[in-house]
PDB file of all heavy atoms in Angstrom:
ATOM      1  N   PRO F  29       7.729  87.654  32.836  1.00 57.00           N
ATOM      2  CA  PRO F  29       8.248  88.758  33.757  1.00 57.00           C
ATOM      3  C   PRO F  29       7.292  89.796  33.897  1.00 57.00           C
ATOM      4  O   PRO F  29       6.516  90.219  33.077  1.00 57.00           O
ATOM      5  CB  PRO F  29       9.493  89.228  32.981  1.00 57.00           C
ATOM      6  CG  PRO F  29       9.341  88.799  31.553  1.00 57.00           C
ATOM      7  CD  PRO F  29       8.490  87.467  31.636  1.00 57.00           C
ATOM      8  N   ARG F  30       7.207  90.266  35.151  1.00 60.00           N
ATOM      9  CA  ARG F  30       6.286  91.373  35.461  1.00 60.00           C
ATOM     10  C   ARG F  30       6.896  92.706  35.095  1.00 60.00           C
ATOM     11  O   ARG F  30       8.069  92.980  35.182  1.00 60.00           O
ATOM     12  CB  ARG F  30       5.994  91.353  36.924  1.00 60.00           C
ATOM     13  CG  ARG F  30       5.343  90.138  37.522  1.00 60.00           C
ATOM     14  CD  ARG F  30       5.158  90.222  38.911  1.00 60.00           C
ATOM     15  NE  ARG F  30       4.440  89.024  39.469  1.00 60.00           N
ATOM     16  CZ  ARG F  30       3.122  88.905  39.623  1.00 60.00           C
ATOM     17  NH1 ARG F  30       2.409  90.034  39.298  1.00 60.00           N
ATOM     18  NH2 ARG F  30       2.583  87.845  40.041  1.00 60.00           N
ATOM     19  N   PRO F  31       5.967  93.558  34.631  1.00 60.00           N
ATOM     20  CA  PRO F  31       6.477  94.990  34.333  1.00 60.00           C
ATOM     21  C   PRO F  31       6.731  95.742  35.620  1.00 60.00           C
ATOM     22  O   PRO F  31       6.189  95.413  36.594  1.00 60.00           O
ATOM     23  CB  PRO F  31       5.363  95.491  33.425  1.00 60.00           C
ATOM     24  CG  PRO F  31       4.122  94.840  33.881  1.00 60.00           C
ATOM     25  CD  PRO F  31       4.644  93.488  34.337  1.00 60.00           C
ATOM     26  N   PRO F  32       7.565  96.701  35.497  1.00 59.00           N
ATOM     27  CA  PRO F  32       7.828  97.564  36.725  1.00 59.00           C
ATOM     28  C   PRO F  32       6.476  98.306  37.102  1.00 59.00           C
ATOM     29  O   PRO F  32       5.525  98.458  36.370  1.00 59.00           O
ATOM     30  CB  PRO F  32       8.841  98.601  36.259  1.00 59.00           C
ATOM     31  CG  PRO F  32       8.687  98.666  34.823  1.00 59.00           C
ATOM     32  CD  PRO F  32       8.218  97.229  34.400  1.00 59.00           C
ATOM     33  N   PRO F  33       6.330  98.573  38.388  1.00 59.00           N
ATOM     34  CA  PRO F  33       5.026  99.323  38.852  1.00 59.00           C
ATOM     35  C   PRO F  33       4.938 100.612  38.084  1.00 59.00           C
ATOM     36  O   PRO F  33       5.902 101.251  37.768  1.00 59.00           O
ATOM     37  CB  PRO F  33       5.300  99.397  40.272  1.00 59.00           C
ATOM     38  CG  PRO F  33       6.774  99.328  40.510  1.00 59.00           C
ATOM     39  CD  PRO F  33       7.267  98.446  39.469  1.00 59.00           C
ATOM     40  N   PRO F  34       3.801 100.946  37.892  1.00 56.00           N
ATOM     41  CA  PRO F  34       3.554 102.276  37.145  1.00 56.00           C
ATOM     42  C   PRO F  34       3.881 103.417  38.067  1.00 56.00           C
ATOM     43  O   PRO F  34       3.977 103.330  39.314  1.00 56.00           O
ATOM     44  CB  PRO F  34       2.073 102.289  36.933  1.00 56.00           C
ATOM     45  CG  PRO F  34       1.481 101.391  37.911  1.00 56.00           C
ATOM     46  CD  PRO F  34       2.529 100.310  38.255  1.00 56.00           C
ATOM     47  N   ALA F  83      -2.750  98.341  33.332  1.00 50.00           N
ATOM     48  CA  ALA F  83      -2.037  99.288  32.732  1.00 50.00           C
ATOM     49  C   ALA F  83      -2.774 100.658  32.666  1.00 50.00           C
ATOM     50  O   ALA F  83      -4.017 100.592  32.339  1.00 50.00           O
ATOM     51  CB  ALA F  83      -1.442  98.909  31.361  1.00 50.00           C
ATOM     52  N   THR F  90       1.739 109.019  22.676  1.00 47.00           N
ATOM     53  CA  THR F  90       2.110 107.615  22.480  1.00 47.00           C
ATOM     54  C   THR F  90       1.416 107.068  21.197  1.00 47.00           C
ATOM     55  O   THR F  90       0.261 107.569  20.847  1.00 47.00           O
ATOM     56  CB  THR F  90       1.598 106.831  23.646  1.00 47.00           C
ATOM     57  OG1 THR F  90       0.183 106.945  23.865  1.00 47.00           O
ATOM     58  CG2 THR F  90       2.469 107.163  24.874  1.00 47.00           C
ATOM     59  N   GLN F  93       0.222 100.415  19.291  1.00 49.00           N
ATOM     60  CA  GLN F  93       1.083  99.344  18.687  1.00 49.00           C
ATOM     61  C   GLN F  93       0.297  98.160  18.225  1.00 49.00           C
ATOM     62  O   GLN F  93       0.816  97.142  17.965  1.00 49.00           O
ATOM     63  CB  GLN F  93       2.118  98.946  19.741  1.00 49.00           C
ATOM     64  CG  GLN F  93       3.080  99.990  20.268  1.00 49.00           C
ATOM     65  CD  GLN F  93       3.952 100.615  19.148  1.00 49.00           C
ATOM     66  OE1 GLN F  93       4.383  99.861  18.227  1.00 49.00           O
ATOM     67  NE2 GLN F  93       4.119 101.887  19.175  1.00 49.00           N
ATOM     68  N   PRO F 112      -0.685  89.516  28.667  1.00 49.00           N
ATOM     69  CA  PRO F 112      -0.086  90.292  29.717  1.00 49.00           C
ATOM     70  C   PRO F 112      -0.880  91.644  29.730  1.00 49.00           C
ATOM     71  O   PRO F 112      -1.384  92.064  28.767  1.00 49.00           O
ATOM     72  CB  PRO F 112       1.360  90.460  29.354  1.00 49.00           C
ATOM     73  CG  PRO F 112       1.300  90.321  27.895  1.00 49.00           C
ATOM     74  CD  PRO F 112       0.235  89.341  27.579  1.00 49.00           C
ATOM     75  N   ALA F 113      -0.774  92.295  30.901  1.00 48.00           N
ATOM     76  CA  ALA F 113      -1.320  93.546  31.010  1.00 48.00           C
ATOM     77  C   ALA F 113      -0.512  94.567  30.313  1.00 48.00           C
ATOM     78  O   ALA F 113       0.780  94.586  30.203  1.00 48.00           O
ATOM     79  CB  ALA F 113      -1.486  94.050  32.550  1.00 48.00           C
ATOM     80  N   ALA F 114      -1.157  95.656  29.794  1.00 49.00           N
ATOM     81  CA  ALA F 114      -0.430  96.709  29.133  1.00 49.00           C
ATOM     82  C   ALA F 114       0.424  97.574  30.073  1.00 49.00           C
ATOM     83  O   ALA F 114      -0.001  97.855  31.169  1.00 49.00           O
ATOM     84  CB  ALA F 114      -1.425  97.664  28.385  1.00 49.00           C
ATOM     85  N   PRO F 115       1.613  98.013  29.681  1.00 50.00           N
ATOM     86  CA  PRO F 115       2.461  98.728  30.730  1.00 50.00           C
ATOM     87  C   PRO F 115       1.860 100.185  30.841  1.00 50.00           C
ATOM     88  O   PRO F 115       1.108 100.677  29.923  1.00 50.00           O
ATOM     89  CB  PRO F 115       3.815  98.735  29.985  1.00 50.00           C
ATOM     90  CG  PRO F 115       3.551  98.637  28.620  1.00 50.00           C
ATOM     91  CD  PRO F 115       2.373  97.779  28.457  1.00 50.00           C
ATOM     92  N   ALA F 116       2.288 100.771  31.842  1.00 51.00           N
ATOM     93  CA  ALA F 116       1.801 102.166  32.178  1.00 51.00           C
ATOM     94  C   ALA F 116       2.460 103.105  31.182  1.00 51.00           C
ATOM     95  O   ALA F 116       3.658 102.921  30.746  1.00 51.00           O
ATOM     96  CB  ALA F 116       2.181 102.591  33.589  1.00 51.00           C
ATOM     97  N   PRO F 117       1.770 104.113  30.761  1.00 51.00           N
ATOM     98  CA  PRO F 117       2.325 105.118  29.770  1.00 51.00           C
ATOM     99  C   PRO F 117       3.429 105.886  30.458  1.00 51.00           C
ATOM    100  O   PRO F 117       3.498 106.161  31.672  1.00 51.00           O
ATOM    101  CB  PRO F 117       1.146 105.980  29.457  1.00 51.00           C
ATOM    102  CG  PRO F 117       0.232 105.918  30.643  1.00 51.00           C
ATOM    103  CD  PRO F 117       0.372 104.493  31.176  1.00 51.00           C
ATOM    104  N   THR F 118       4.298 106.319  29.664  1.00 49.00           N
ATOM    105  CA  THR F 118       5.472 107.074  30.072  1.00 49.00           C
ATOM    106  C   THR F 118       5.241 108.563  29.627  1.00 49.00           C
ATOM    107  O   THR F 118       4.976 108.786  28.516  1.00 49.00           O
ATOM    108  CB  THR F 118       6.802 106.583  29.505  1.00 49.00           C
ATOM    109  OG1 THR F 118       6.813 105.280  29.881  1.00 49.00           O
ATOM    110  CG2 THR F 118       7.872 107.322  30.042  1.00 49.00           C
ATOM    111  N   PRO F 123      12.447 109.088  30.990  1.00 48.00           N
ATOM    112  CA  PRO F 123      13.115 107.997  30.642  1.00 48.00           C
ATOM    113  C   PRO F 123      12.318 106.674  30.879  1.00 48.00           C
ATOM    114  O   PRO F 123      11.435 106.634  31.735  1.00 48.00           O
ATOM    115  CB  PRO F 123      14.450 107.984  31.515  1.00 48.00           C
ATOM    116  CG  PRO F 123      13.964 108.762  32.701  1.00 48.00           C
ATOM    117  CD  PRO F 123      12.975 109.843  32.240  1.00 48.00           C
ATOM    118  N   ALA F 124      12.579 105.724  30.086  1.00 48.00           N
ATOM    119  CA  ALA F 124      11.827 104.431  30.324  1.00 48.00           C
ATOM    120  C   ALA F 124      12.228 103.852  31.619  1.00 48.00           C
ATOM    121  O   ALA F 124      13.383 103.730  31.952  1.00 48.00           O
ATOM    122  CB  ALA F 124      12.170 103.475  29.169  1.00 48.00           C
ATOM    123  N   PRO F 125      11.288 103.400  32.348  1.00 49.00           N
ATOM    124  CA  PRO F 125      11.635 102.797  33.623  1.00 49.00           C
ATOM    125  C   PRO F 125      12.385 101.466  33.404  1.00 49.00           C
ATOM    126  O   PRO F 125      12.102 100.676  32.546  1.00 49.00           O
ATOM    127  CB  PRO F 125      10.161 102.541  34.158  1.00 49.00           C
ATOM    128  CG  PRO F 125       9.282 102.467  33.108  1.00 49.00           C
ATOM    129  CD  PRO F 125       9.775 103.358  32.040  1.00 49.00           C
ATOM    130  N   HIS F 126      13.323 101.312  34.441  1.00 48.00           N
ATOM    131  CA  HIS F 126      14.088 100.073  34.505  1.00 48.00           C
ATOM    132  C   HIS F 126      14.693  99.693  33.230  1.00 48.00           C
ATOM    133  O   HIS F 126      14.786  98.534  32.878  1.00 48.00           O
ATOM    134  CB  HIS F 126      13.158  98.853  34.991  1.00 48.00           C
ATOM    135  CG  HIS F 126      12.489  99.201  36.270  1.00 48.00           C
ATOM    136  ND1 HIS F 126      13.223  99.167  37.486  1.00 48.00           N
ATOM    137  CD2 HIS F 126      11.270  99.556  36.585  1.00 48.00           C
ATOM    138  CE1 HIS F 126      12.402  99.547  38.555  1.00 48.00           C
ATOM    139  NE2 HIS F 126      11.160  99.761  37.974  1.00 48.00           N
ATOM    140  N   GLY F 127      15.216 100.688  32.373  1.00 46.00           N
ATOM    141  CA  GLY F 127      15.933 100.334  31.257  1.00 46.00           C
ATOM    142  C   GLY F 127      15.143  99.711  30.118  1.00 46.00           C
ATOM    143  O   GLY F 127      15.694  98.926  29.305  1.00 46.00           O
ATOM    144  N   THR F 128      13.841 100.028  30.051  1.00 47.00           N
ATOM    145  CA  THR F 128      13.056  99.420  28.925  1.00 47.00           C
ATOM    146  C   THR F 128      13.442 100.035  27.646  1.00 47.00           C
ATOM    147  O   THR F 128      13.568 101.220  27.542  1.00 47.00           O
ATOM    148  CB  THR F 128      11.570  99.800  29.245  1.00 47.00           C
ATOM    149  OG1 THR F 128      11.300  99.239  30.532  1.00 47.00           O
ATOM    150  CG2 THR F 128      10.683  99.144  28.173  1.00 47.00           C
ATOM    151  N   PRO F 129      13.664  99.356  26.570  1.00 48.00           N
ATOM    152  CA  PRO F 129      14.110  99.851  25.319  1.00 48.00           C
ATOM    153  C   PRO F 129      13.080 100.814  24.773  1.00 48.00           C
ATOM    154  O   PRO F 129      11.841 100.662  25.155  1.00 48.00           O
ATOM    155  CB  PRO F 129      14.381  98.640  24.427  1.00 48.00           C
ATOM    156  CG  PRO F 129      13.538  97.648  25.091  1.00 48.00           C
ATOM    157  CD  PRO F 129      13.541  97.900  26.568  1.00 48.00           C
ATOM    158  N   PRO F 130      13.391 101.686  23.903  1.00 47.00           N
ATOM    159  CA  PRO F 130      12.381 102.551  23.319  1.00 47.00           C
ATOM    160  C   PRO F 130      11.385 101.618  22.555  1.00 47.00           C
ATOM    161  O   PRO F 130      11.648 100.654  22.076  1.00 47.00           O
ATOM    162  CB  PRO F 130      13.256 103.346  22.334  1.00 47.00           C
ATOM    163  CG  PRO F 130      14.682 103.215  22.752  1.00 47.00           C
ATOM    164  CD  PRO F 130      14.761 101.970  23.473  1.00 47.00           C
ATOM    165  N   ALA F 131      10.287 102.446  22.435  1.00 46.00           N
ATOM    166  CA  ALA F 131       9.079 101.736  21.775  1.00 46.00           C
ATOM    167  C   ALA F 131       9.415 101.417  20.368  1.00 46.00           C
ATOM    168  O   ALA F 131       8.813 100.537  19.736  1.00 46.00           O
ATOM    169  CB  ALA F 131       7.836 102.599  21.899  1.00 46.00           C
ATOM    170  N   ILE F 134      10.761  97.824  19.905  1.00 45.00           N
ATOM    171  CA  ILE F 134       9.920  96.714  20.482  1.00 45.00           C
ATOM    172  C   ILE F 134       9.143  96.118  19.328  1.00 45.00           C
ATOM    173  O   ILE F 134       8.402  96.879  18.649  1.00 45.00           O
ATOM    174  CB  ILE F 134       9.075  97.224  21.664  1.00 45.00           C
ATOM    175  CG1 ILE F 134       9.977  97.708  22.748  1.00 45.00           C
ATOM    176  CG2 ILE F 134       8.170  96.092  22.135  1.00 45.00           C
ATOM    177  CD1 ILE F 134       9.144  98.316  23.843  1.00 45.00           C
ATOM    178  N   PRO F 145       9.985  85.564  25.965  1.00 50.00           N
ATOM    179  CA  PRO F 145       8.771  86.205  26.528  1.00 50.00           C
ATOM    180  C   PRO F 145       8.479  87.577  25.938  1.00 50.00           C
ATOM    181  O   PRO F 145       9.455  88.279  25.547  1.00 50.00           O
ATOM    182  CB  PRO F 145       8.951  86.244  28.041  1.00 50.00           C
ATOM    183  CG  PRO F 145      10.522  86.216  28.126  1.00 50.00           C
ATOM    184  CD  PRO F 145      11.044  85.464  27.026  1.00 50.00           C
ATOM    185  N   PRO F 146       7.272  87.905  25.653  1.00 51.00           N
ATOM    186  CA  PRO F 146       6.984  89.251  25.098  1.00 51.00           C
ATOM    187  C   PRO F 146       7.467  90.413  26.013  1.00 51.00           C
ATOM    188  O   PRO F 146       7.462  90.214  27.284  1.00 51.00           O
ATOM    189  CB  PRO F 146       5.492  89.213  24.871  1.00 51.00           C
ATOM    190  CG  PRO F 146       5.048  88.191  25.918  1.00 51.00           C
ATOM    191  CD  PRO F 146       6.011  87.198  26.062  1.00 51.00           C
ATOM    192  N   VAL F 147       7.742  91.527  25.477  1.00 48.00           N
ATOM    193  CA  VAL F 147       8.095  92.703  26.254  1.00 48.00           C
ATOM    194  C   VAL F 147       6.838  93.236  26.838  1.00 48.00           C
ATOM    195  O   VAL F 147       5.777  93.465  26.151  1.00 48.00           O
ATOM    196  CB  VAL F 147       8.839  93.735  25.385  1.00 48.00           C
ATOM    197  CG1 VAL F 147       9.089  94.943  26.227  1.00 48.00           C
ATOM    198  CG2 VAL F 147      10.063  93.175  24.784  1.00 48.00           C
ATOM    199  N   GLN F 148       6.758  93.491  28.163  1.00 51.00           N
ATOM    200  CA  GLN F 148       5.604  93.885  28.834  1.00 51.00           C
ATOM    201  C   GLN F 148       5.429  95.372  28.945  1.00 51.00           C
ATOM    202  O   GLN F 148       4.312  95.912  29.215  1.00 51.00           O
ATOM    203  CB  GLN F 148       5.580  93.147  30.197  1.00 51.00           C
ATOM    204  CG  GLN F 148       5.541  91.630  30.212  1.00 51.00           C
ATOM    205  CD  GLN F 148       4.412  91.069  29.566  1.00 51.00           C
ATOM    206  OE1 GLN F 148       3.299  91.651  29.598  1.00 51.00           O
ATOM    207  NE2 GLN F 148       4.570  89.938  28.876  1.00 51.00           N
ATOM    208  N   ASP F 149       6.489  96.170  28.928  1.00 52.00           N
ATOM    209  CA  ASP F 149       6.416  97.543  29.285  1.00 52.00           C
ATOM    210  C   ASP F 149       6.344  98.498  28.049  1.00 52.00           C
ATOM    211  O   ASP F 149       6.695  99.599  27.988  1.00 52.00           O
ATOM    212  CB  ASP F 149       7.533  98.063  30.119  1.00 52.00           C
ATOM    213  CG  ASP F 149       8.919  97.595  29.550  1.00 52.00           C
ATOM    214  OD1 ASP F 149       8.908  96.989  28.450  1.00 52.00           O
ATOM    215  OD2 ASP F 149       9.971  97.936  30.196  1.00 52.00           O
ATOM    216  N   ALA F 150       5.806  97.835  26.853  1.00 50.00           N
ATOM    217  CA  ALA F 150       5.632  98.725  25.698  1.00 50.00           C
ATOM    218  C   ALA F 150       4.388  99.558  25.959  1.00 50.00           C
ATOM    219  O   ALA F 150       3.418  99.199  26.682  1.00 50.00           O
ATOM    220  CB  ALA F 150       5.499  97.845  24.384  1.00 50.00           C
ATOM    221  N   PRO F 151       4.317 100.711  25.276  1.00 52.00           N
ATOM    222  CA  PRO F 151       3.083 101.533  25.531  1.00 52.00           C
ATOM    223  C   PRO F 151       1.920 100.770  25.036  1.00 52.00           C
ATOM    224  O   PRO F 151       1.858 100.073  24.080  1.00 52.00           O
ATOM    225  CB  PRO F 151       3.409 102.819  24.705  1.00 52.00           C
ATOM    226  CG  PRO F 151       4.823 102.748  24.439  1.00 52.00           C
ATOM    227  CD  PRO F 151       5.328 101.398  24.454  1.00 52.00           C
ATOM    228  N   ALA F 152       0.907 100.921  25.907  1.00 53.00           N
ATOM    229  CA  ALA F 152      -0.354 100.266  25.483  1.00 53.00           C
ATOM    230  C   ALA F 152      -1.028 100.966  24.364  1.00 53.00           C
ATOM    231  O   ALA F 152      -1.057 102.178  24.290  1.00 53.00           O
ATOM    232  CB  ALA F 152      -1.275 100.256  26.744  1.00 53.00           C
ATOM    233  N   ALA F 153      -1.523 100.146  23.475  1.00 53.00           N
ATOM    234  CA  ALA F 153      -2.293 100.667  22.289  1.00 53.00           C
ATOM    235  C   ALA F 153      -3.749 100.939  22.633  1.00 53.00           C
ATOM    236  O   ALA F 153      -4.311 100.295  23.462  1.00 53.00           O
ATOM    237  CB  ALA F 153      -2.211  99.736  21.113  1.00 53.00           C
TER     238      ALA F 153
END
Side-chain angles (χ1 to χ4, degrees):
R30 295 175 180 272
T90 60
Q93 302 296 323
T118 305
H126 302 288
T128 302
I134 298 176
V147 179
Q148 301 294 331
D149 50 1

